[in-house]
Amino acid sequence: MGQLALQRLPPVASLPRRPPSLPPPSLSSATTASRRPLPHRFYVARAMSSHIVGYPRIGPKRELKFALESFWDGKTSVEELQNVAANLRKSIWKHMSDAGIKYIPSNTFSYYDQMLDTTAMLGAVPSRYGWEGGEIGFDNYFSMARGNATVPAMEMTKWFDTNYHYIVPELGPDVKFSYASHKAVVEFKEAKALGIDTVPVLIGPMTYLLLSKPAKGVEKSFCLLSLIDKILPVYKEVLDDLKSAGARWIQFDEPILVMDLDTSQLQAFSDAYSHMESSLAGLNVLIATYFADVPAEAYKTLTSLKCVTGFGFDLVRGLETLDLIKLNFPRGKLLFAGVVDGRNIWANDLFSSLKTLQTLEEIVGKDKVVVSTSCSLLHTAVDLVNEMKLDKELKSWLAFAAQKVVEVNALAKSFSGVKDETLFASNSVRQASRRSSPRVTNPAVQQNVAEVKKSDHRRSTEVSVRLQAQQKKLNLPTLPTTTIGSFPQTADLRRIRREFKAKKILEIEYVQAIKEEIEKVVKLQEELGIDVLVHGEAERNDMVEFFGEQLSGFAFTSNGWVQSYGSRCVKPPIIYGDVTRPKAMTVFWSSMAQKMTHRPMKGMLTGPVTILNWSFVRNDQPRHETCFQIALAIKDEVEELERAGVAVIQIDEAALREGLPLRKSEQEFYLDWAVHAFRITNCSVQDTTQIHTHMCYSNFNDIIHSIINMDADVITIENSRSDEKLLSVFHEGVKYGAGIGPGVYDIHSPRIPSAEEIADRINKMLAVLDSKVLWVNPDCGLKTRKYSEVKSALSNMVAAAKLIRSQLNKSENLSSSKFCSYYHFLLSLNLLSMTID
């Protein structure tokens, strides 16, 4: 028990495959298997009060990702996909059961997204997908997630302040809700057949509605909470179904309670659970909140609910909630104490967590405290035991999801009087090792950051003046076209990078192969007629990992994958120490690409805020200190790119909005330092060097003034998948004087938009934006698409830009011609001087 890192998830490959007899291919299809009663020791371990909010579903080696993509490509059957899913669920439940967890969640597995699962459960399928009732199958489910050949996907945006994306429900007064996916009860029965009693998890009705949006054609002012009475009957059906199946507990995830809700919203929350009280009878009810403090009024409303057995709180990011608990916690209720961090990979300080639990014991009593994770472990990597790249010291500082399960149980056992002294002693040594390691702190870097805070790092010239200087140098047409950065990453390209890392090919062979790929991308863009080119990022595995690998203070895993959305997984770097840039990171490739063309070639960088927000960040200093360190490193790279002759430099800040605190009272401070960090990166470049930035898949309207304050010359920003709601901010009168490229098509769908459709989008943009500042580009990078899709979509995009450009030129010529005719008319009447007077 002393070696926490060796506790691991059972390998999926070793689990038995599903029997040949299979149910119809619906979303909730699953198999069950009989299992002998578990040994007596199992029941003894489970007597400890421990709980896991949720668990990663991708598998320790991304088994779900590969199964999904194979199924989407038509290479494998629905039965094979379901086999992989069933084996993953079984391995997860077994791991938690064997570790001694008492309250094990079910229905946290998803083929794409838990919010989409809830949309399916409620039968809230938008009419464009042609669903005609009955159990929702994979065709409708994946069409909503990804779109298809004829209709676009539903909007996708960030899940609170995480890098996980959810599919946004589209609701209106005419939606007919019905119980259309029995996934929750099917998976509960599946676990029960394995001898494991689980807690089914549902997205709560308030969180579901308040994270939805009015459907197209519905007034923006439509009150989503007006639908509460329509969805509660479906929730009741689900609850009755679960009770009939033998469920004793139900977990409602209501993270919306950490947001700034008004009195009417809190009343609706209270009324909703009171309305479900009869269906909740006979069930123990847990309401889980996470990601931040629960505001005082929301806490009061939540803990006043009579039908609830236990309340779950994030006590890692929600330390102020602890003060509310000390003031008042309802007698007789269970407190699910989220003391193990579900969003980071640092080993828990067991002694510190135990102190917190002992404090709670004094308030609510030992038998009422349940040790839990701060949120779902979905947001951390799966299993540390699969890591071979990390050195022994660094590895000793970490805990992934599989290890966090063991931490939860170790704390629960210790709290109940069965303390593993060896484990706690080992944990103490590892915590001390991290605090004292010389690899963590660099005094010179700390001093540089202290100096940075003395200036606001604004460029010395206004953006309007800079744009004029840049236009003289770049000579771009009206409505210049560009892409966001990456081009498709083919299997051959990934193989070349793997072989180079494994030292199976020489560096000269690797450079030649990447050079050929860049040449192909450059030639394709020139043939398509794109105005500002990119080199395609063939040398990059990931937009954050690529930079982190070349910065000090970063470490990398071999299998530390985390789900971003659907089958898309990322491998976040681990920032363990102070950050510096030992040498140039992109100059070689960008300079090479620029020499291949006479057109402007963007130098592509990832910004400091995005690197921070898409990494596992050290928790021993404020996040903004780490961000400023990264900003100084990127600043060095920007200056070296400029010296190398790169005239357009894009510094992506895709995740700037993502890091926005959930509470309004904390947002100004974050935006101040995040925007400042971006400005640091490019404050010293010449006026003729054009600085771009890019943002994607978030709601930007509420931070538009901070985006303007970034002072970039051009911003490209996601727009098409979110029904162009970005444009509404300009309808409301916001003036944006820099270049801006709202995305004209969604790259996360295989659907190829027509030139006419893109032209229509451009015209909508021109209704609120000046043609002199408007750029034409996709929503995001093209890494996940196939070349066949990319060629067709970009060809249509360029054709649309040229069409609108031609129309604008005709309009200008016509206006000029009319003015000249009027001028000559006045002259002929000898009235010109009078008119001027």
Side-chain angles (χ1 to χ4, degrees), residues 329-564:
F329 188 80
R331 181 174 295 183
K333 302 293 186 179
L334 295 180
L335 172 57
F336 287 72
V339 294
V340 173
D341 194 349
R343 290 186 59 173
N344 217 328
I345 43 66
W346 303 107
N348 186 271
D349 185 337
L350 297 179
F351 282 97
S352 176
S353 293
L354 192 56
K355 276 188 180 180
T356 300
L357 294 170
Q358 289 164 347
T359 299
L360 295 172
E361 176 188 358
E362 295 170 4
I363 302 164
V364 303
K366 185 185 288 287
D367 62 329
K368 300 301 180 186
V369 178
V370 180
V371 183
S372 184
T373 53
S374 65
C375 62
S376 172
L377 298 176
L378 172 71
H379 309 288
T380 190
V382 180
D383 195 348
L384 188 60
V385 81
N386 294 317
E387 293 308 321
M388 304 304 166
K389 287 175 64 174
L390 298 172
D391 63 77
K392 186 177 179 181
E393 180 186 46
L394 182 55
K395 196 171 180 178
S396 74
W397 301 344
L398 307 178
F400 290 178
Q403 289 70 46
K404 288 176 185 291
V405 168
V406 177
E407 287 180 337
V408 167
N409 197 59
L411 284 166
K413 289 177 68 178
S414 179
F415 186 58
S416 65
V418 189
K419 186 176 182 181
D420 187 331
E421 296 291 352
T422 303
L423 179 63
F424 270 71
S426 170
N427 178 263
S428 182
V429 168
R430 289 182 285 132
Q431 295 291 327
S433 163
R434 184 181 167 209
R435 285 191 295 268
S436 62
S437 175
R439 25 186 335 194
V440 172
T441 305
N442 183 328
V445 174
Q446 299 277 346
Q447 180 59 40
N448 289 341
V449 168
E451 291 296 320
V452 155
K453 297 174 184 176
K454 299 176 183 178
S455 167
D456 65 3
H457 295 88
R458 290 185 180 276
R459 292 172 76 177
S460 58
T461 312
E462 291 293 322
V463 66
S464 58
V465 176
R466 300 198 306 262
L467 288 174
Q468 289 177 15
Q470 292 155 15
Q471 179 59 17
K472 286 180 181 177
K473 183 174 182 176
L474 300 174
N475 192 30
L476 298 173
T478 302
L479 306 180
T481 55
T482 191
T483 65
I484 303 307
S486 62
F487 264 65
Q489 298 259 324
T490 63
D492 281 344
L493 187 55
R494 291 193 294 269
R495 175 185 55 77
I496 288 164
R497 287 203 305 264
R498 280 197 309 270
E499 289 178 351
F500 178 59
K501 281 196 170 185
K503 299 183 179 179
K504 293 181 179 178
I505 59 174
L506 298 174
E507 183 175 6
I508 191 171
E509 296 175 282
Y510 171 73
V511 170
Q512 181 59 32
I514 298 299
K515 181 181 178 182
E516 290 172 3
E517 184 70 18
I518 293 172
E519 286 174 335
K520 180 175 77 173
V521 168
V522 170
K523 182 180 179 183
L524 172 61
Q525 292 173 91
E526 289 184 326
E527 289 173 349
L528 290 169
I530 291 174
D531 300 304
V532 177
L533 311 188
V534 298
H535 76 290
E537 303 179 8
E539 78 283 9
R540 305 183 191 185
N541 46 4
D542 175 83
M543 65 182 289
V544 173
E545 184 174 353
F546 174 79
F547 290 94
E549 285 178 333
Q550 301 181 78
L551 294 169
S552 66
F554 282 74
F556 292 86
T557 64
S558 50
N559 284 293
W561 298 99
V562 179
Q563 185 183 26
S564 179

Side-chain angles (χ1 to χ4, degrees), residues 255-282:
I256 200 70
L257 287 174
V258 306
M259 305 291 282
D260 295 304
L261 302 184
D262 61 34
T263 303
S264 63
Q265 290 169 327
L266 291 174
Q267 186 61 53
F269 171 81
S270 180
D271 292 345
Y273 281 88
S274 297
H275 189 73
M276 289 192 290
E277 198 162 335
S278 60
S279 293
L280 293 171

Side-chain angles (χ1 to χ4, degrees), residues 185-202:
V185 71
V186 167
E187 290 184 12
F188 172 79
K189 289 178 178 178
E190 184 182 344
K192 191 175 181 181
L194 296 169
I196 300 173
D197 193 22
T198 61
V199 179
V201 179
L202 301 177

Side-chain angles (χ1 to χ4, degrees), residues 217-243:
V218 175
E219 291 290 329
K220 300 265 190 233
S221 59
F222 174 70
C223 179
L224 292 161
L225 285 181
S226 66
L227 299 173
I228 191 77
D229 291 337
K230 293 185 178 181
I231 70 169
L232 289 181
V234 180
Y235 272 92
K236 287 181 173 183
E237 285 187 74
V238 178
L239 294 171
D240 290 342
D241 218 358
L242 286 168
K243 283 195 291 187

